[in-house]
């Protein structure tokens, strides 16, 4: 399956807490090979970012450790 087809049929989801922030959210979708797709909920027609499993894991680890807290 080509990446464009995989992205079109991906199971996109967003955080349950995102409803209270005015819709400024990202959606994520698991992809083949451990990759993860990321897209803007307000512009799903735009090309999403696709990151490797290691990049996604590093992001999640940093978020859990508070590296992105203001």
């Amino acid at each position: 399956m080509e990446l464009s087809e995989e992205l079109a049929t991906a199971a996109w989801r967003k955080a349950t807490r995102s409803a209270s922030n005015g819709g400024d959210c990202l959606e994520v979708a698991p992809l083949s090979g451990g990759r993860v797709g990321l897209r803007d909920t307000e512009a799903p027609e735009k090309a999403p970012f696709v990151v490797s499993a290691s990049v996604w894991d590093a992001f999640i680890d940093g978020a859990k450790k508070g590296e992105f807290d203001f």
Side-chain angles (χ1 to χ4, degrees):
M1 177 183 306
E2 287 190 32
L3 180 58
S4 60
E5 184 180 343
E6 187 175 7
L7 289 168
T9 59
W12 294 97
R13 66 183 191 277
K14 63 181 179 174
T16 55
R17 295 185 186 190
S18 66
S20 63
N21 72 359
D24 294 332
C25 307
L26 289 177
E27 294 178 316
V28 299
L31 302 171
S32 63
R35 297 173 300 173
V36 176
L38 304 159
R39 71 179 184 185
D40 184 345
T41 57
E42 294 182 347
E45 73 284 354
K46 291 187 178 179
F49 291 100
V50 177
V51 297
S52 67
S54 61
V55 169
W56 181 249
D57 290 343
F59 170 74
I60 294 300
D61 184 58
K64 287 179 179 179
K65 291 178 179 176
E67 292 179 14
F68 310 112
D69 295 350
F70 293 101

